Amino acid sequence: MKKRILIIGASGQIGSELTARLRSIYAPHKVIASDIREGDETLMKSGPFEILDATDYDAIEDVILQYEITDVYLMAAMLSATAEKFPMKAWNLNMNSLFNVLNLAKDKKINTIFWPSSIAVFGPTTPKIMTPQRTVMEPSTVYGISKQTGERWCEYYFNKYNVDVRSIRYPGLISYRTLPGGGTTDYAIDIFHKALKHQKYICFLNEKTSLPMMYIDDAIDATLQIMEADSANLSIRNSYNLAAMSFNPEEIAKEIKKHIPDFKIIYQPDFRQAIADSWPQSIDDSQAREDWGWKHQYNLEEMTKIMIENLNKE
Ligand code: VAH
């Protein structure tokens, strides 16, 4: 069956990388990028782009019909730190964008949806070490509450309307192609930019704050893997735990110093410390490994080398 893909939120950190990868697999004209604002030059030159508000059902439906879309990757969201500043805007974007695509699938206007959840669905009462796939989930952030609610709706639409929606709880994602967004884990991106520019970084988390993290290529691999998986093998229809590594600011700073010996880090925790403290330190992703063969490739050492080599070229 012909596949026509729409990425909503294609100008963002994951969306831009996902668009590039999908356009390397499918003919670029079959992969439609969209966002509320244009992306970087690479994205804009690589194939069709539509300015699209993810909260506007009619606008999404028009694009679906115009390009005969079969699969939608909904990557638009307001992340944890920004969502704490604008709770209602975050709820509106994160929830109504999801309802729009779920209802399009319910009405058989699209076939398959990918929707990203996050380790932010876990809260202060969740077991922090090797957090299980199924466990206590009392998120204390706007972002986490929206992602937990979204997971419940994904499972409801699958069970009630047989909507084929697939989801992954991404850890913090590290990439060099886009600047850090409004995420709490984005310190692990910004630290590279500042280390190369100033040989110094003022970190908004304390040195012992260990968080689940992943290099972007692992996250993109996992996203494509779950979308290509046989539906019958997917035992989880809210969202899969996914893991690669965990590290704290002290550990990533030590790895960076192997490349930039004069690098110095200063710790000045701010409001994002409480967000990070509510999240797990490590994740049990054995269900994803069992159901659809997930296996990470990159560790902290390899990621640090890639980040520094590529940011040095800029
Ligand atoms: C954030 N990068 O920091 C996101 C992520 C696990 C957190 O979802 O908000």
Side-chain angles (χ1 to χ4, degrees):
M1 176 187 57
K2 72 172 175 114
K3 196 181 274 275
R4 290 274 192 288
I5 296 167
L6 171 64
I7 298 110
I8 301 175
S11 301
Q13 177 196 27
I14 312 170
S16 54
E17 307 259 4
L18 193 55
T19 304
R21 180 77 74 84
L22 286 165
R23 284 178 170 165
S24 72
I25 298 167
Y26 302 95
H29 72 275
K30 293 182 179 178
V31 181
I32 313 308
S34 71
D35 205 310
I36 194 80
R37 65 182 64 82
E38 288 191 355
D40 64 18
E41 194 181 352
T42 307
L43 173 73
M44 300 309 286
K45 281 184 173 172
S46 64
F49 184 93
E50 293 286 343
I51 291 287
L52 182 59
D53 175 351
T55 63
D56 182 341
Y57 179 90
D58 294 337
I60 298 172
E61 187 181 37
D62 288 347
V63 172
I64 297 285
L65 296 173
Q66 179 185 344
Y67 291 95
E68 299 179 315
I69 298 296
T70 59
D71 297 27
V72 173
Y73 291 74
L74 174 55
M75 310 312 287
M78 191 180 288
L79 298 181
S80 58
T82 310
E84 289 305 304
K85 293 176 183 168
F86 308 103
M88 288 302 106
K89 275 177 83 173
W91 183 260
N92 176 48
L93 172 58
N94 295 4
M95 298 317 302
N96 290 325
S97 59
L98 177 59
F99 281 124
N100 288 341
V101 296
L102 286 174
N103 286 324
L104 281 161
K106 174 178 166 241
D107 296 343
K108 308 293 180 217
K109 292 174 181 167
I110 53 176
N111 302 335
T112 314
I113 299 167
F114 177 79
W115 177 75
S117 183
S118 161
I119 59 153
V121 297
F122 301 117
T125 55
T126 304
K128 288 200 178 296
I129 308 300
M130 291 305 281
T131 301
Q133 175 68 46
R134 288 188 171 88
T135 183
V136 173
M137 296 166 72
E138 297 174 323
S140 52
T141 65
V142 171
Y143 177 67
I145 294 165
S146 74
K147 287 300 184 182
Q148 182 189 32
T149 313
E151 289 189 9
R152 304 314 321 138
W153 280 111
C154 287
E155 191 174 70
Y156 181 87
Y157 269 69
F158 173 75
N159 290 328
K160 183 106 175 169
Y161 308 117
N162 201 28
V163 167
D164 188 0
V165 50
R166 304 173 184 206
S167 179
I168 286 172
R169 291 170 181 157
Y170 288 132
L173 300 183
I174 318 298
S175 60
Y176 60 84
R177 293 185 183 89
T178 51
L179 290 174
T184 300
T185 58
D186 288 342
Y187 88 87
I189 299 172
D190 203 22
I191 192 169
F192 287 103
H193 292 269
K194 297 296 192 309
L196 286 162
K197 208 168 170 186
H198 307 299
Q199 292 76 50
K200 180 179 157 189
Y201 179 58
I202 298 175
C203 186
F204 55 74
L205 298 180
N206 70 42
E207 62 271 32
K208 295 301 181 192
T209 308
S210 191
L211 289 169
M213 297 281 193
M214 181 179 287
Y215 181 56
I216 190 72
D217 285 5
D218 267 339
I220 302 300
D221 287 345
T223 306
L224 299 187
Q225 244 178 303
I226 194 172
M227 287 295 272
E228 297 301 329
D230 181 341
S231 181
N233 295 339
L234 302 180
S235 65
I236 301 290
R237 285 290 181 164
N238 51 331
S239 191
Y240 277 91
N241 277 7
L242 200 76
M245 53 183 146
S246 292
F247 56 78
N248 62 37
E250 192 175 53
E251 290 163 329
I252 190 172
K254 191 170 164 220
E255 202 58 41
I256 290 171
K257 280 181 190 155
K258 292 178 185 174
H259 302 264
I260 307 172
D262 296 339
F263 174 63
K264 297 216 177 349
I265 185 167
I266 297 167
Y267 301 101
Q268 290 180 0
D270 67 11
F271 74 98
R272 289 165 285 193
Q273 185 65 51
I275 296 174
D277 288 344
S278 72
W279 289 345
Q281 292 180 24
S282 58
I283 299 287
D284 172 2
D285 64 355
S286 51
Q287 196 68 53
R289 292 173 191 259
E290 184 184 319
D291 284 5
W292 40 277
W294 158 244
K295 187 177 178 311
H296 74 280
Q297 305 292 326
Y298 298 89
N299 63 22
L300 175 59
E301 184 183 359
E302 289 154 341
M303 181 192 75
T304 301
K305 188 168 179 292
I306 292 169
M307 289 294 285
I308 288 178
E309 280 174 0
N310 285 281
L311 286 174
N312 244 343
K313 290 175 192 165
E314 291 183 357

